[in-house]
Amino acid sequence: MILSNFELIFDSLIEKQYFTMIQVKNYVLGQWISGEGSETNLYNALTGEKIGDTSSAGLNYQEILTYGREKGGRALRKMTFQERGRMLKALALHLMDKKESYYALSALTGATRIDSWIDIEGGIGNLFANASVRRQFPDLPYYVDGVAAPLSKNGSFIGHHIMVPKQGVAIHINAFNFPIWGMLEKIAVNLMAGVPAIVKPSEFTCFLTELMVKDIIDSKILPEGSLQLVCGLGRGILDHVDSEDVVTFTGSAHTGKMLKAMPQFSERSVPFNLEADSLNATILGQHAVPGTIEFDLFIKETTKEITIKAGQKCTAVRRIIVPDNLLDEVQKAISARLASTKVGDPSMEGVRMGALATMTQVERVRANVNRLAQTQEIVFGNANHVDVTGGDSEKGAFFSPILFVNNDPFKNTDVHEIEAFGPVSTIMPYKTMDDAIELSRMGKGSLVSSIVTPNDQEATEYVVGAASMHGRILVLNKDCAKESTGHGSPMPLLTHGGPGRAGGGEEMGGKRGVLHYMQRTAIQGHPTTITKITQQFQVGAEMPEANPHVFRKHFEELVIGETVFTHKHTVTDADIVNFANVSGDNFYAHMDATSLEGTIFERRVAHGYFVLSKAAGLFVDPKKGPVLLNYGLDEARFTKPVYPGATLGVRFTVKEKIDQEKKTEDDIAKGIVKFLVDVYDETGETVALATILTMVKKIDQTK
Ligand code: NAP
């Protein structure tokens, strides 16, 4: 089935002139341009055949960066977060429709269908996830961060923070192992922030990135200039970076450190996010003995992390840390699984592990396996030979899974230093949990580690002890295994990156990632001015009386700050008793005036929920109108006890408006309106505050 699908797609790719001989181009300055000459030959990882070449020689990076900043940046900065989010969603849907052509080409990188799934659909998933992050942002091109800071006695001077898109470009230099995910997980975030991107994939696998960029550009979903692509070596791409640019680098620590040390980064304060190699560890808990579900999970997950993408994952498990009395059993179980893993051409029946991306990688991995073999023993696999099914065993970039055992990992420490970026991992023993933590920390900073244990106490001990040296920790047990996303997968809504050797970078992480591309600026002024700038009502700002009532107005007509000042209501004992009857809340402070000694209440006190409910009775204009529904409360606080006899009124203010798109043609066009409910008593003091969330119909039903 998969075979014939591939054949069909191969044919269609030949029509598009892939596979005859690909000449991978650069998309810069609004056009597809070939670099001068040929910098790099491109190969089919399965057969070693040359499939094309690429070059970036002769590109003018000064112009390319300026074009991005001026053309793409300007267009993106005009869009609100909601518009950018919808743009990402449209792009994700568009690319999903075309995914089979990426799978077909991805096969030439040596990837199996599952490997490609991580790269392709995992990457597109990042677009979807970031599109949804728009719900955490306002309907503005910039973001209002945190809450206002009161800076004056009388409230006429306050401070706040806004975050605006940097007016530079995001330059992403990516590793060869994720030609699609590597691009999408990064551009999703900078596009959401309103910053254009220049992507430089690795020369080795850039042909796959190029195919997707062609589709992105042809779709015209992104504004021109917001995505440029540099294939080939891209040397010189960082020479013209400036203070508003952001550089992210994913690759080896060696290259990363060399690039980060370029003087322009310190001279112009350019952020450089480094994601480098990492000696990730997995720990078998002492309670996960053979016979437990957790022991089996450990073996399965660890073997998967050795073989998936032929071990070419920055998050792959390099160090397997197990209780010393279980080392033999773990070794046998993992070896048995590796022995049943068929290596070869992924289109052949039963093949589970494909090839490395290039013969260069084979040489690099072999060299590092040989270095590791000086201080530890290979117990499975052969660095010089592997049986393959399909593909070309001589010219294809195949490599055997290799399992080492290191019996003295505190003394023989190469395993904590050398990364063989392929299907290579080492088992080592520990005696106590403190030892296991120490060993995992000896990697000097990792992207991820995991512990598999049925015992939460043991898990807590590991997590708290090891976390400062890890960017992410997976705790796996039988209760979460079925839905777990696994050790190896960074999730778009969680931070990806690790301390120390892993580069000290942080990316993705949902909203956190987006904010990396923005400048935080403190703003100070009168609350009315700050309300105007932030488009969020600030306490102390002008509150013009709404006329007519805000419930009579459509989304477009509501103005931030306009306020309904309600009638008053005097609270009685009967109110409290009635509310207790309706709600069933007979808490002593409301119902037993004799029980208040030693409490903060002087008399029986009204329920906080009564105060809010009564407030609704005062601020609601009941007749049918544009307000469709109230879907919740945020930030509700009862700030002062309300006793019988208190007279309450409400200031009901339009606090914030967020546009919403129609989900279907027949959907009612509407937006979200947040209202500030400020309930005060006869002294004018606030007794309760809340933000209510409503949906309000638009006048224009077409959008
Ligand atoms: P690499 O050799 O360090 O190359 C990384 C990128 O840097 C490539 O695009 C490379 O381009 C580019 N590059 C090298 N020198 C440059 C220069 N002077 N100017 C501009 N760009 C330059 O790494 P790799 O072999 O591609 O990837 C494997 C490594 O990446 C492994 O060590 C792995 O652990 C790490 N990795 C880390 C993560 C993470 O998230 N932390 C993810 C994936 C991989 P060319 O390829 O065109 O030379």
Side-chain angles (χ1 to χ4, degrees), residues 174 200 202-203 235 250-252 255 276-277 314 419 421 496:
N174 291 338
K200 193 213 107 40
S202 161
E203 51 178 325
R235 303 302 185 253
T250 302
S252 62
T255 316
D277 35 319
C314 52
E419 181 202 42
F421 198 61
H496 174 55

Side-chain angles (χ1 to χ4, degrees), residues 640-658:
K640 184 181 173 191
V642 173
Y643 300 117
T647 298
L648 305 181
V650 183
R651 292 179 279 256
F652 187 65
T653 306
V654 179
K655 185 176 171 185
E656 195 180 345
K657 292 164 63 179
I658 301 172

